[in-house]
Amino acid sequence: MKTAASRLLSADAAGISQAAALLRAGELVAFPTETVYGLGADARNGEAVAAIFEAKGRPTFNPLIVHLADTTMAKSFVNWTESANRLARAFWPGPLTLVLPLREGHGLSTLVTAGLPTVALRVPAGPVAHALLHAVGGPVAAPSANPSGRISATTAAHVSAGLGDRIAAILDNGPCSVGLESTIVGLDGPPTLLRAGGLPVEDIEACLGHPLLTAEAAQITAPGQMLSHYAPRARLRLDAAGPHAGEVVLGFGPMPCDVNLSPSGDLREAAARLFDCLHQLDAMGQPIAVAPVPRHGLGLAINDRLARAAAPRP
Ligand code: TXA
Ligand code: MG
């Protein structure tokens, strides 16, 4: 984690190209969108994405929104649909996030999607966000740029006060015009409102020509919370000192095991690999013994996720 104060970059050509270079190098950069400031990282770089959760002090791994320069880039990561086409034509760039099924070979870190088969995508409005994403030339994962549990940042000063000592840079473009997070619509089934936000629901319904389902009707938990989780089929046993007969082992630190979250015991690497490791072990079709993972820093979110994966399911 960074301890020096972050660099404040002005939103001109030089500042934007420095911010893009830092993002490409795996650093965290807060950047302005029309809704709120985002805490950005290269969405293909698992350790950079893990650093987002570390900097925010998030005790859970919620999936993140992936920001793109334009619709063409967005389409390259997902199986695009007719509804997506309508909504993107009407509202992108703008305060609308679309959740769509991931396409094979998408190349995004599994931490971005929390292991889910879907991803949340958004093309933010405003020349600065556009220029930055264009300069990065790839997908940028970004939650709101505030410490976990605090209100979203709508100025560079808010970002600096909350996260200034934990991130590489802040791209300052003054206050955000919308000031409210994007509206999130799920399109992996019938169009569903997952979170109300900066784009009025009425506008979305008028564009589609029919009402959106609500999250309750679609039987998913409340917006803002985890909407769904990748759930391994295999049974997990946590804090295992060693394997019982027939178990495969998820290790942490130097130890004999089938799959290791981080042989060197690095929590950032472990976070980045968590969902890949669970998918790999799940494919082996045997119960999983999980070695103890320290309960500090990113270890809290890792343990939270493992506990959910181990919880009995209907
Ligand atoms: O305006 C915004 O949306 C801001 C700016 C920075 O773009 N971002 C933002 O991100 O509000 P965050 O992380 O605070 O909220 C992301 C929301 C979470 O509630 C998460 O559960 C949901 O998006 N989400 C992300 N991926 C999802 C997925 N695959 N399925 C369902 N929900 C998802
Ligand atoms: Mg937030």
Side-chain angles (χ1 to χ4, degrees), residues 19-284:
L22 287 166
L23 284 168
R24 281 197 304 267
E27 298 283 346
L28 301 185
V29 177
F31 66 98
T33 79
E34 79 284 29
T35 60
V36 298
Y37 274 75
L39 177 55
D42 181 345
R44 294 161 298 196
N45 179 338
E47 296 202 21
V49 175
I52 289 180
F53 290 95
E54 196 173 33
K56 283 188 64 114
R58 260 199 187 180
T60 56
F61 291 130
N62 281 353
L64 303 176
I65 297 172
V66 173
H67 298 68
L68 304 145
D70 53 44
T71 302
T72 308
M73 206 191 266
K75 284 180 180 171
S76 68
F77 295 98
V78 293
N79 295 319
W80 197 243
T81 68
E82 182 46 39
S83 300
N85 219 30
R86 279 188 177 220
L87 294 175
R89 276 169 183 265
F91 303 117
W92 276 358
L96 173 68
T97 294
L98 301 177
V99 174
L100 286 155
L102 278 165
R103 180 186 262 199
E104 191 88 30
H106 54 79
L108 299 173
S109 147
T110 51
L111 191 56
V112 167
T113 61
L116 295 173
T118 56
V119 64
L121 300 179
R122 164 163 132 74
V123 176
V128 174
H130 178 81
L132 175 68
L133 293 166
H134 187 74
V136 171
V140 173
S144 49
N146 50 279
S148 182
R150 306 255 294 274
I151 55 168
S152 297
T154 53
T155 66
H158 294 161
V159 180
S160 177
L163 298 170
D165 57 345
R166 307 185 196 174
I167 64 180
I170 303 169
L171 188 59
D172 183 1
N173 190 39
C176 302
S177 59
V178 176
L180 197 69
E181 284 92 343
S182 61
T183 302
I184 306 182
V185 174
L187 293 178
D188 52 331
T192 302
L193 179 67
L194 299 178
R195 179 177 75 184
L199 181 68
V201 174
E202 293 83 348
D203 294 6
I204 299 170
E205 294 182 334
C207 171
L208 290 174
H210 61 78
L212 292 172
L213 287 187
T214 59
E216 302 79 64
Q219 302 206 313
I220 42 192
T221 44
Q225 320 231 327
M226 261 318 303
L227 298 158
S228 48
H229 264 301
Y230 162 65
R233 281 158 303 166
R235 187 171 52 75
L236 268 75
R237 192 166 60 81
L238 304 184
D239 295 313
H244 294 165
E247 286 181 334
V248 287
V249 176
L250 176 59
F252 177 84
M255 59 181 288
C257 58
D258 296 274
V259 174
N260 201 319
L261 287 166
S262 170
S264 66
D266 174 355
L267 286 168
R268 195 179 284 185
E269 182 187 25
R273 286 174 42 74
L274 177 63
F275 294 100
D276 287 324
C277 290
L278 287 175
H279 278 289
Q280 266 180 55
L281 288 168
D282 206 14
M284 296 179 187

